[in-house]
């Protein structure tokens, strides 16, 4: 495919034709999860958005090195460089080693991503595995004079940086306003100014995750890892940096400042950001009771859901909106989306049954393929691509009903349209990896066995009844007899 991909660059605030730094190769860096809790919608959206970009760039013939980091240290509970480390806090709460917490939630994250058919990145570096690189970066910034040491911690000097460069280029925030409105520090604080941010923090005695450094036993500031690891794996300048819009400030703004301060120039050529997810029109939040994790979608156990949704229904729903628009999840909207997806999958299956009944094409199928390509080139406009797939499925149904006549070429084009756009690029898959449909059949089979056992008990056939209970128990099922029959769950 010819490259005519345009992407919206958050830095320049316009759509630009994508031209890679090195011919034929693309370096892509996306901020990955901080692993201290169950994977949720907020993880699914950036992963799916940049999965589409990854798939499309590969389809355009590029060799893509996709780096998505794992934050396992340095992300503090609040953004003002104070408070506990999110991972360490969870570890203390659960009586686990911090790395045990990281491994546990990373495993669930990977499993959820696989269910959503998100391709694994080329490199998934951990912040805790790159302490040396981060310490080097702090040294570089200190040498260039844009940081200062204070009581064992090192802070980035935003005011000084802004006198030479421009702090706020990505977010559009005005530093003069920030300097004027933020509180002047009274000299008791380590920081000279509240907008300065930590590059290295001295660990308090009770802080578990700590490493030796020239300044103190401590840990790196959260923004540092992405600058250090993108430089290590993609070079001092690279093509695309992605993430959620919530990361623009302060995280990505600080990344830019760190790169420019240490190397004298920006590292990233195109900044891309996906918009946020709301649930029933509200921001997602634990305190609002609308925080639905992915597992709860897949098994339908959240009170806001009336049923389970397959991972493909979630993926499809996210792709029905452009990545720069918000997506509002609701039970009703998901139900509609699930039906739509089922229609498309049914149509894709029915292509096999189509027969060529004319030699003269009067359809626009070839045109839809070009238009879908144009839509992908237009900043990954997946909702437009989906609308052409719906048009195509209408033609398929109408041809099956005998109202439309297709040529052999039409049928080939239809197949190609679905194969390329629905399956390869949108990453929708027909097979249920571990989704609700297979869960439904699985649960149905367990119910069936337990009903047979119930019948056996009524017939006083204890041998059969015990055999079913014992063998299901051995397989990890917990079975409870109730007055109406039974309850079961699978302990995993
Ligand atoms: Zn990052």
């Amino acid at each position: 495919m010819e490259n005519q991909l345009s992407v919206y660059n958050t830095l320049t605030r316009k759509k630009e034709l994508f031209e890679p730094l090195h011919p034929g190769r693309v370096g892509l860096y996306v901020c990955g999860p901080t692993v201290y809790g169950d994977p949720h919608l907020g993880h699914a959206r950036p992963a799916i958005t940049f999965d589409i970009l990854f798939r499309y760039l590969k389809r355009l013939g590029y060799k893509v090195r996709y780096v998505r980091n794992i934050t396992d240290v340095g992300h503090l509970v609040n953004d003002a460089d104070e408070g506990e480390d999110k991972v360490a806090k969870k570890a203390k709460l659960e009586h686990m080693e911090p790395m045990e917490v990281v491994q546990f939630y990373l495993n669930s994250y990977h499993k959820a991503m696989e269910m959503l058919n998100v391709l694994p990145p080329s490199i998934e570096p951990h912040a805790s595995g790159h302490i040396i690189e981060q310490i080097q970066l702090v040294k570089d910034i200190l040498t260039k004079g844009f940081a200062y040491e204070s009581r064992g911690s090192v802070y980035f000097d935003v005011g000084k940086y802004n006198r030479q460069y421009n702090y706020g280029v990505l977010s559009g925030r005005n530093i003069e306003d920030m300097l004027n409105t933020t509180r002047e520090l009274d000299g008791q604080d380590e920081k000279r100014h509240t907008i300065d941010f930590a590059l290295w923090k001295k660990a308090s005695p009770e802080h578990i995750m700590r490493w030796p450094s020239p300044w103190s036993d401590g840990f790196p500031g959260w923004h540092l890892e992405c600058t250090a690891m993108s430089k290590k794996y993609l070079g001092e300048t690279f093509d695309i940096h992605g993430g959620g819009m919530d990361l623009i400030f302060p995280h990505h703004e600080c990344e830019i400042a760190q790169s420019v301060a240490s190397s004298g120039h920006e590292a990233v050529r195109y900044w891309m950001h996906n918009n946020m997810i709301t649930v029933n029109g509200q921001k997602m939040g634990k305190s609002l009771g609308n925080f639905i994790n992915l597992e709860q979608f897949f098994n339908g156990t959240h009170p806001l859901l009336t049923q389970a949704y397959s991972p493909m229904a979630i993926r499809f729903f996210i792709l029905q909106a452009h990545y720069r628009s918000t997506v509002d999840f609701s039970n009703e909207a998901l139900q509609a989306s699930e039906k739509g997806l089922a229609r498309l999958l049914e149509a894709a299956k029915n292509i096999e049954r189509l027969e060529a009944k004319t030699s003269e094409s009067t359809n626009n199928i070839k045109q839809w393929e070009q238009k879908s390509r144009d839509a992908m080139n237009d900043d990954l406009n997946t909702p437009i691509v989906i609308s052409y797939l719906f048009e195509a499925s209408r033609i398929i149904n109408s041809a099956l009903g005998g109202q439309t006549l297709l040529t052999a070429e039409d049928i080939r084009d239809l197949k190609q349209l679905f194969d390329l756009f629905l399956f390869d690029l949108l990453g929708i898959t027909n097979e249920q990896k571990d989704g609700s449909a297979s869960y439904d059949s699985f649960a149905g089979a367990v119910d069936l066995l337990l009903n047979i056992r119930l019948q056996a008990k009524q017939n006083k056939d204890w041998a059969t009844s015990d055999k079913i209970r014992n063998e299901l128990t051995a397989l990890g099922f917990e079975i409870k007899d109730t007055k109406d029959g039974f309850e079961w769950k699978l302990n995993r």
Side-chain angles (χ1 to χ4, degrees):
M1 277 195 204
E2 196 194 343
N3 172 24
Q4 292 179 325
L5 171 64
S6 289
V7 295
Y8 182 85
N9 188 344
T10 315
L11 186 66
T12 57
R13 291 164 183 75
K14 55 176 192 253
K15 271 186 214 168
E16 293 171 11
L17 184 68
F18 172 70
E19 289 170 302
L21 189 59
H22 306 287
R25 287 197 279 141
V26 177
L28 168 64
Y29 188 95
V30 175
C31 290
T34 303
V35 279
Y36 70 104
D38 291 322
H40 55 78
L41 284 176
H43 292 116
R45 193 162 194 203
I48 290 172
T49 299
F50 293 102
D51 185 52
I52 300 294
L53 178 64
F54 185 36
R55 285 166 185 266
Y56 193 49
L57 287 169
K58 287 202 290 184
R59 185 75 207 186
L60 292 172
Y62 293 113
K63 193 167 166 13
V64 186
R65 183 178 295 161
Y66 177 13
V67 182
R68 188 182 64 205
N69 67 305
I70 299 296
T71 298
D72 55 1
V73 63
H75 197 169
L76 303 185
V77 172
N78 82 36
D79 277 340
D81 294 327
E82 296 303 331
E84 267 183 289
D85 182 292
K86 290 187 180 186
V87 170
K89 184 179 174 190
K90 186 79 181 178
K92 230 184 271 173
L93 219 63
E94 306 281 336
H95 302 287
M96 287 162 95
E97 272 293 319
M99 283 306 130
E100 208 177 354
V101 169
V102 167
Q103 192 67 58
F104 181 83
Y105 289 110
L106 187 54
N107 291 347
S108 346
Y109 176 75
H110 282 155
K111 189 171 159 225
M113 291 306 120
E114 198 189 328
M115 287 166 78
L116 290 167
N117 204 25
V118 168
L119 300 175
S122 331
I123 308 179
E124 205 172 37
H126 289 230
S128 65
H130 296 75
I131 301 294
I132 293 169
E133 289 83 351
Q134 296 182 73
I135 289 177
Q136 186 56 49
L137 190 58
V138 179
K139 286 184 186 167
D140 293 346
I141 297 172
L142 275 167
T143 310
K144 296 281 164 75
F146 293 109
Y148 55 90
E149 194 187 337
S150 172
R151 294 181 219 162
S153 293
V154 180
Y155 292 96
F156 191 92
D157 190 337
V158 173
K160 183 164 180 201
Y161 171 82
N162 189 58
R163 283 193 287 281
Q164 190 162 339
Y165 302 103
N166 185 1
Y167 185 77
V169 278
L170 186 68
S171 61
R173 294 196 189 202
N174 183 325
I175 186 166
E176 299 304 328
D177 290 348
M178 286 190 275
L179 285 168
N180 292 335
T181 53
T182 52
R183 163 179 71 96
E184 264 309 315
L185 296 172
D186 56 10
Q188 297 294 344
D189 282 88
E190 289 177 359
K191 285 192 209 181
R192 290 184 193 156
H193 203 282
T194 39
I195 62 168
D196 293 348
F197 57 90
L199 297 174
W200 187 263
K201 284 283 280 180
K202 181 182 175 176
S204 58
E206 65 277 8
H207 197 100
I208 330 170
M209 299 166 90
R210 53 169 71 220
W211 291 265
S213 82
W215 315 286
S216 63
D217 269 16
F219 55 94
W222 171 43
H223 314 304
L224 206 58
E225 63 178 274
C226 292
T227 309
M229 297 193 291
S230 61
K231 183 177 166 189
K232 172 160 177 152
Y233 296 112
L234 299 174
E236 215 173 71
T237 309
F238 63 95
D239 296 298
I240 304 172
H241 192 316
M245 259 168 63
D246 54 334
L247 295 178
I248 292 177
F249 191 89
H251 186 54
H252 291 161
E253 199 73 77
C254 295
E255 277 189 45
I256 292 178
Q258 290 166 161
S259 299
V260 175
S262 59
S263 69
H265 61 84
E266 308 240 7
V268 178
R269 302 175 69 239
Y270 304 86
W271 281 94
M272 291 176 72
H273 292 95
N274 65 275
N275 210 319
M276 298 290 99
I277 280 175
T278 52
V279 176
N280 296 318
Q282 278 186 308
K283 221 180 132 174
M284 238 182 4
K286 288 222 162 84
S287 56
L288 294 169
N290 67 357
F291 196 90
I292 312 177
N293 65 41
L294 290 171
E295 180 85 26
Q296 291 170 317
F297 275 108
F298 301 160
N299 59 28
T301 50
H302 195 278
L304 289 175
L305 305 173
T306 58
Q307 62 168 94
Y309 293 96
S310 73
M312 282 306 110
I314 303 289
R315 182 173 177 110
F316 186 68
F317 185 68
I318 287 177
L319 293 175
Q320 278 186 299
H322 186 257
Y323 75 90
R324 287 193 289 117
S325 314
T326 52
V327 166
D328 186 42
F329 271 76
S330 69
N331 193 57
E332 294 69 36
L334 270 171
Q335 278 173 335
S337 188
E338 187 183 50
K339 284 200 190 93
L341 176 61
R343 271 212 315 278
L344 289 186
L345 289 173
E346 188 65 29
K349 208 165 66 192
N350 282 336
I351 295 175
E352 310 274 310
R353 294 171 49 208
L354 295 175
E355 284 167 34
K357 291 197 171 152
T358 177
S359 54
E360 216 167 303
S361 178
T362 50
N363 301 297
N364 297 322
I365 302 160
K366 258 253 127 46
Q367 218 182 333
W368 293 335
E369 192 183 323
Q370 186 52 48
K371 285 183 172 173
S372 300
R373 243 176 253 267
D374 293 345
M376 286 302 285
N377 283 334
D378 184 17
D379 196 24
L380 310 175
N381 203 330
T382 55
I384 299 288
V385 173
I386 291 172
S387 73
Y388 289 118
L389 289 168
F390 276 121
E391 294 222 28
S393 62
R394 273 192 288 275
I395 286 275
I396 293 168
N397 292 337
S398 149
L400 284 175
Q403 298 99 326
T404 299
L405 301 181
L406 298 174
T407 65
E409 204 191 338
D410 286 339
I411 298 172
R412 264 200 314 276
D413 288 345
L414 281 167
K415 181 155 172 44
Q416 197 176 317
L417 189 75
F418 276 82
D419 283 350
L420 176 58
F421 290 97
L422 186 65
F423 299 120
D424 285 359
L425 293 177
L426 299 187
I428 295 296
T429 151
N430 239 328
E431 51 202 275
Q432 293 287 346
K433 287 195 173 152
D434 188 17
S436 64
S438 65
Y439 180 82
D440 284 351
S441 347
F442 159 78
V446 178
D447 286 343
L448 175 69
L449 277 170
L450 289 172
N451 275 317
I452 294 173
R453 173 173 171 257
L454 214 57
Q455 224 158 35
K457 267 169 54 178
Q458 278 157 7
N459 298 337
K460 303 201 186 318
D461 175 2
W462 308 119
T464 304
S465 152
D466 289 352
K467 184 176 165 61
I468 292 175
R469 194 198 54 218
N470 294 344
E471 295 200 1
L472 283 176
T473 308
L475 288 168
F477 290 91
E478 197 178 305
I479 296 151
K480 216 165 85 188
D481 292 312
T482 64
K483 62 176 189 313
D484 313 315
F486 53 81
E487 276 172 14
W488 63 268
K489 68 177 184 187
L490 181 56
N491 293 319
R492 276 188 276 188

